[in-house]
Amino acid sequence: MPPASRAQELAQAQHERAVGHRVQALAICQDVLAYWPDDAPARHLEVQLLAELGASQRAFELAQNLQIPLSDKEMARLQADLGAHRLRWTRAQPADPAKPFAEADQALGHIQGVVERYRTSQPRISKGASFDALIAQDKGQHYIAALDGYAALQKNKDVLPPFADAAMADALLQRRQPEQAIGLFEAGIKHVPPPYEADETDPRIGLMYAYLEAGRYRDAIALIDRTAASEPVWHKMSGSTELALNPHKAEADLNTALVREYIWLYRDAAQRLGKQLAEAPADGILWRDWGNLQRARGWPRASEDALITSAGVDPSNLSTRLGLIDSWRELNDFSRVEPTLHAVELVQPNDTEVTQVRTEWDHQRGWQFDFEHDRGKGGSPNFGDRDRETTATLMSPLLDDHWRIYGVTRLAAATLDNGDDAGDSGGPIVQRERAGLGVRTYLRGFEGYAQVLTALNNSTRGTAVEAGFRWFPSDHWTFTGEWSNVGDDDTPLRASGQAIVANATDISAEWRASELTSAKFSLNHDRFSDGNHRNGWESEFVQRVYTVPFLTVDSGIQFGKTRNTLIDGPYYSPDGARWAMLTGRLESMLHQRYEREWRQRIDIAYGPYDERQFGTSWTGSIRYGQIFQPHSGMNYGWGLSWSSQPYDGKRDSRVMLDLTMHWGE
């Protein structure tokens, strides 16, 4: 290239740049540099063009070796652009799955350097970079730092640019401030409306979760349904006429199922998610969420299978491992939990989902304390007239992933006549008080216990030796069995007042199709020390008949029969009795805020009761109760119930108050 044409070529390059043809301008510029590599104006123009075309890294490398350095303002802008470019790269899959935030942290380090270096000399560029720093902090899960920076901007009355709204809203959501997040999400969507690029995060999904966590579930459903309906299945690829599947459509469809799972509409969620999985059977995210849904419906083994499939498709997805941990916890497969959770924490120690699973696991494997207290009036044939029973159990932390030792105290007493207090009318009081130690074992799909309780007073007969198990070999079947040489649970307090105990055996089998349908059959055999043998059975079928968000109604039918060989004892022991009852249950969520929950439940039963030689009459019961969980690992419950039943042809009614407290899992 002749020297005389160099100026003409550079002038042409400047013209092409001015009219927006930067690629052509860069080609001309590089032709010039091929002949004159040390040409300062051409090198300077190359740096400018590369920066404008998005090749910020290469532009920065060349700028550091220019013979005539860029101006302070140009250098500041170039470095700020490089930080923004690195920040955009955080949208892609991380280069190293074990270090998912490495790119975000590198971008953050570079951007913070720009903020500090040019704070005085180029304040506008520094401030613009500070907005990028907030986004980088959110991307790297440095939520507290992001919100601290956001608060400082608000204090200085700086206006957050629209592109940063969604990032700050996400940080607020992760820090459990959904109401504040809602405003920012809505502002961000207003300023930057859809459609969004394929590699962009759709802020409408974040807004949906903010609505949910703020208790506005109707708004959440309406938003995600509108979003799914508005997104096309196909979209044009940037810079191409070819069509590609729209990831925002798939994400919105997925969340129409997840939002319904959150509000107890499991069957609806399963239908939606199952359809998506049939269309994309190799999608690891769908398999992950399908597995989590199976666990919510009571199928931990099906959940485990789906999550293993998800891990096979996408081994780097840590949420899949967290789902497996929850399934193993339900299966009592505790030995696999801690190593897997520790490995996840090494990668994402600050993730909200990770810290929540850690908290729940620490509660489950730690100390456990249960307290139950019942106080009743009526039920004279079995309980006396006024009765009370208290049980307290303290369990050790999980030992070697398979064992716990525990102490238990059981205190029961009743007035055997109608006196208002002990001795009011000179009536006798029966007391049954025991305390002892036990051991509980856990295996995959199995747990069992054995305990020994000594008598605490002279009126309590014998040392209780008791054992039991619960075996759930599949997601649909559960078998239980309990045995006691004194049978406190089956022996009426009136019998205990006569120094009568019972060798008691109870077994049951339950089939559970899903959260919608279940059936149970139980057998009991009691050999009382007065010579009476009691045999009985009971069967029950339950079907869910109504479901709306956070409310379910179940209906069922129950049959039972009992027979005693000795009918003249000092307690109710019918020669033969049978019953059939219709049952109903309503359960609803009164309030939910993360782990804080307040639920209510109503149980009713009504039907005929037939006792041999005394004919048929009606029996019924109703109970209203609530459970309040102020935080994970603690809950309190109370219930008030009334029941009525004929005993040897005479009707007797009972009112009972029950109180519970649980600390631990």
Side-chain angles (χ1 to χ4, degrees), residues 139-261:
K139 292 287 189 181
Q141 294 192 350
H142 305 297
Y143 302 122
I144 295 177
L147 294 177
D148 287 345
Y150 176 51
L153 290 175
Q154 289 182 310
K155 185 177 181 181
N156 294 332
K157 298 183 179 180
D158 291 323
V159 179
L160 195 69
F163 67 82
D165 283 338
M168 289 304 92
D170 179 67
L172 286 165
L173 191 59
Q174 296 297 330
R175 296 301 299 170
R176 298 192 166 188
Q177 300 176 47
E179 288 81 7
Q180 294 89 328
I182 287 171
L184 277 178
F185 274 127
E186 290 176 338
I189 294 168
K190 180 179 179 180
H191 291 133
V192 186
Y196 301 105
E197 294 293 331
D199 62 347
E200 286 186 279
T201 300
D202 188 339
R204 293 172 295 180
I205 304 301
L207 179 58
M208 179 205 76
Y209 281 105
Y211 282 151
L212 275 180
E213 293 173 10
R216 296 169 55 179
Y217 64 86
R218 289 186 178 86
D219 291 334
I221 295 174
L223 172 63
I224 194 60
D225 287 352
R226 286 197 310 270
T227 300
S230 67
E231 287 289 339
V233 176
W234 301 92
H235 74 129
K236 288 184 179 181
M237 298 176 62
S238 180
S240 172
T241 59
E242 294 184 6
L243 295 177
L245 285 172
N246 179 9
H248 294 308
K249 171 64 173 176
E251 183 183 28
D253 285 343
L254 171 61
N255 279 280
T256 62
L258 298 185
V259 71
R260 285 165 170 81
E261 177 185 348

Side-chain angles (χ1 to χ4, degrees), residues 43-69:
R43 188 65 69 183
H44 189 283
L45 180 59
E46 180 189 33
V47 169
Q48 292 177 317
L49 288 167
L50 286 170
E52 292 169 2
L53 287 167
S56 303
Q57 180 68 42
R58 180 57 178 161
F60 179 67
E61 292 171 355
L62 293 173
Q64 291 176 305
N65 299 311
L66 289 176
Q67 295 178 5
I68 303 175

Side-chain angles (χ1 to χ4, degrees), residues 413-424:
T415 304
L416 296 186
D417 60 15
N418 293 325
D420 291 335
D421 202 350
D424 274 2

Side-chain angles (χ1 to χ4, degrees), residues 89-104 106 316 347:
W89 271 105
T90 62
R91 299 174 183 173
Q93 290 290 332
D96 183 355
K99 299 177 180 178
F101 307 115
E103 289 83 358
Q106 289 173 2
S316 65
V347 179

Side-chain angles (χ1 to χ4, degrees), residues 275-580:
K275 179 181 178 182
Q276 295 168 51
L277 195 56
E279 295 172 351
D283 190 314
I285 300 298
L286 289 177
W287 277 109
R288 180 199 66 192
D289 292 327
W290 179 256
N292 292 335
L293 177 58
Q294 302 313 293
R295 185 174 61 257
R297 302 192 75 184
W299 301 326
R301 287 177 174 81
S303 170
E304 181 185 38
D305 291 343
L307 290 164
I308 289 173
T309 301
S310 174
V313 175
D314 184 6
S316 65
N317 192 300
L318 297 186
S319 293
T320 299
R321 290 199 232 173
L322 295 178
L324 280 167
I325 287 171
D326 287 338
S327 296
W328 293 333
R329 288 172 52 210
E330 289 199 17
L331 288 167
N332 293 344
D333 199 349
F334 298 138
S335 62
R336 306 171 75 173
V337 173
E338 183 59 29
T340 305
L341 181 54
H342 179 67
V344 171
E345 288 174 322
L346 291 176
V347 179
Q348 291 190 356
N350 301 321
D351 183 81
T352 304
E353 189 179 3
V354 174
T355 57
Q356 181 179 346
V357 172
R358 164 56 69 187
T359 299
E360 292 173 352
W361 168 233
D362 285 346
H363 285 152
Q364 183 174 5
R365 68 175 179 168
W367 290 93
Q368 309 286 310
F369 177 71
D370 286 279
F371 176 84
E372 300 177 8
H373 177 75
D374 302 335
R375 185 173 289 268
K377 184 178 186 305
S380 299
N382 279 318
F383 300 97
D385 182 63
R386 296 178 181 271
D387 64 278
R388 56 193 179 275
E389 184 170 358
T390 302
T391 303
T393 306
L394 178 63
M395 288 191 180
S396 74
L398 196 60
L399 306 173
D400 193 33
D401 295 321
H402 293 290
W403 304 93
R404 292 185 194 271
I405 57 175
Y406 61 91
V408 58
T409 300
R410 292 201 307 240
L411 309 175
T415 304
L416 296 186
D417 60 15
N418 293 325
D420 291 335
D421 202 350
D424 274 2
S425 59
I429 294 177
V430 58
Q431 292 181 313
R432 189 170 62 200
E433 301 179 344
R434 303 185 192 276
L437 297 173
V439 60
R440 187 173 288 269
T441 184
Y442 303 89
L443 300 171
R444 181 180 170 90
F446 179 88
E447 59 186 77
Y449 73 90
Q451 59 191 32
V452 177
L453 289 78
T454 60
L456 298 181
N457 56 28
N458 293 331
S459 62
T460 303
R461 300 300 176 185
T463 296
V465 180
E466 300 173 341
F469 71 90
R470 184 173 76 97
W471 177 41
F472 41 109
S474 74
D475 283 344
H476 301 288
W477 286 98
T478 300
F479 302 93
T480 63
E482 292 186 305
W483 170 83
S484 172
N485 70 324
V486 294
D488 286 351
D489 289 340
D490 294 347
T491 304
L493 281 167
R494 279 194 172 276
S496 296
Q498 299 295 320
I500 297 172
V501 296
N503 190 303
T505 302
D506 299 276
I507 60 173
S508 70
E510 181 178 14
W511 173 78
R512 187 174 178 277
S514 68
E515 82 283 2
L516 303 176
T517 307
S518 66
K520 185 176 181 179
F521 183 78
S522 304
L523 291 171
N524 69 278
H525 174 67
D526 303 319
R527 291 186 293 125
F528 292 92
S529 57
D530 63 352
N532 180 31
H533 287 198
R534 174 182 293 170
N535 296 296
W537 62 265
E538 186 174 85
S539 62
E540 183 178 25
F541 176 81
V542 177
Q543 175 66 47
R544 182 148 299 169
V545 295
Y546 184 67
T547 304
V548 293
F550 290 130
L551 186 147
T552 61
V553 178
D554 296 335
S555 179
I557 187 168
Q558 184 183 97
F559 299 94
K561 186 175 182 179
T562 186
R563 183 178 182 278
N564 291 269
T565 60
L566 184 66
I567 61 174
D568 296 326
Y571 53 93
Y572 180 61
S573 53
D575 181 27
R578 55 187 179 179
W579 59 92

